[in-house]
Amino acid sequence: MQADAMAGLVPTYVCATVGTTSSNAVDPIGDVAKVAAMFNVWVHVDAAYAGSACICPEFRHHLNGVEHVDSISMSPHKWLLTCLDCTCLYVRDARRLSQSLETDPEYLKNDASVSGDVTDLKDMQVGVGRRFRGLKLWMVMRTYGTANLQEHIRRDVAMAKMFEDLVHADNRFEIVVPRNFALVCFRIKAAGVRADDEVNRLLMANVNKTGKAYLTHTVVGGKLVLRFAVGSSLQEEKHILSAWELIRKTISDMMKYV
């Protein structure tokens, strides 16, 4: 941002992420906000996935410094048992948002909006109309309650840790990045980068075509990495163990032909 400012540009927006899609990495929100404040930049926190985990006290440290940001979003449809789509956006100063997006034609004027006693959501988005997404989140919160939603998060994290421990115990595999939540990033150890990528991609393809489990992948540090995510409300420990046995059997079968 300093380089941009010196070049005559105006730094405008910084986005920190809590739980990146690729590997669940967490940015240091407080440090980011501190630097951004030097340039009067809007700081947003993308906590779409991992924001749900912060309903549990033991995960709230990932949001340290959030009091210094301008906005934060989290998506209950990702990990809080809410149907797609549902994203919550919290804004420190809602007026700054509505000043950029409000529309005030004569046919939309009404006493409630003019009085300022209501939050006019049409002025906080591009379109005028919107679905009542908040209703499904309200129903989830009323149905499950805080304790059960926290248990849902903790159970998923515990199962992910169990899978991580299984990976650690097999010297053919390695954990690539620290597990923060319910996503485990791992891979087969191999001698060369190219061989490493090819064998991991083949393992993923062979596991997925069985239809019994489904792995996804990403690239971290230039290398292909396998991703194992826990998040279904129907998953149990037996499913984690079954998936791991499938992975182990698949790699053992692959090694017979090496």
Side-chain angles (χ1 to χ4, degrees):
M1 287 190 289
Q2 182 65 58
D4 285 345
M6 292 177 66
L9 302 175
V10 180
T12 304
Y13 172 86
V14 173
C15 181
T17 305
V18 177
T20 59
T21 303
S22 177
S23 62
N24 272 189
V26 177
D27 289 326
I29 296 175
D31 292 341
V32 171
K34 183 177 179 180
V35 173
M38 300 177 186
F39 300 89
N40 195 29
V41 170
W42 183 287
V43 181
H44 176 71
V45 174
D46 177 356
Y49 164 71
S52 296
C54 296
I55 66 172
C56 300
E58 63 268 31
F59 296 115
R60 287 179 191 159
H61 66 277
H62 292 296
L63 290 178
N64 286 351
V66 72
E67 65 274 14
H68 301 299
V69 309
D70 297 287
S71 58
I72 179 173
S73 59
M74 57 89 70
S75 300
H77 67 248
K78 289 183 179 290
W79 201 10
L80 209 60
L81 302 177
T82 305
C83 294
L84 190 76
D85 61 341
C86 181
T87 295
C88 302
L89 173 66
Y90 302 88
V91 184
R92 175 183 297 281
D93 184 357
R95 186 59 189 161
R96 292 179 66 185
L97 182 62
S98 62
Q99 283 177 336
S100 301
L101 297 170
E102 67 183 353
T103 178
D104 193 30
E106 192 62 34
Y107 53 82
L108 289 180
K109 293 183 185 297
N110 61 84
D111 292 340
S113 294
V114 172
S115 71
D117 293 334
V118 299
T119 299
D120 213 334
L121 296 177
K122 74 173 177 58
D123 294 332
M124 302 181 74
Q125 62 181 31
V126 175
V128 175
R130 64 187 288 120
R131 289 181 289 162
F132 193 179
R133 295 177 178 89
L135 179 60
K136 27 184 196 185
L137 178 57
W138 182 85
M139 289 295 294
V140 167
M141 294 168 69
R142 293 290 294 174
T143 301
Y144 288 90
T146 301
N148 286 325
L149 288 173
Q150 289 175 330
E151 175 57 26
H152 160 67
I153 296 293
R154 288 169 176 147
R155 182 175 58 86
D156 285 355
V157 172
M159 286 191 284
K161 184 181 184 305
M162 181 177 72
F163 183 85
E164 180 185 42
D165 291 342
L166 292 169
V167 174
H168 272 305
D170 191 321
N171 60 15
R172 296 174 298 180
F173 295 88
E174 63 180 336
I175 298 294
V176 180
V177 296
R179 179 196 52 78
N180 287 317
F181 304 103
L183 174 71
V184 180
C185 294
F186 70 108
R187 68 182 177 192
I188 304 167
K189 296 177 183 178
V193 174
R194 179 170 304 219
D196 184 11
D197 285 355
E198 290 175 356
V199 73
N200 278 285
R201 193 181 295 277
L202 181 59
L203 172 61
M204 178 176 64
N206 287 343
V207 168
N208 291 348
K209 71 183 181 183
T210 68
K212 297 178 180 178
Y214 188 77
L215 298 175
T216 57
H217 76 281
T218 188
V219 174
V220 176
K223 294 185 178 182
L224 186 136
V225 174
L226 303 179
R227 303 166 70 251
F228 184 90
V230 179
S232 169
S233 60
L234 299 178
Q235 275 181 319
E236 301 176 17
E237 288 189 1
K238 65 181 181 181
H239 300 122
I240 307 302
L241 294 173
S242 175
W244 176 243
E245 285 305 311
L246 174 61
I247 293 169
R248 291 181 68 246
K249 180 180 183 302
T250 302
I251 188 60
S252 295
D253 290 344
M254 288 168 53
M255 291 176 67
K256 293 177 183 178
Y257 302 100
V258 175

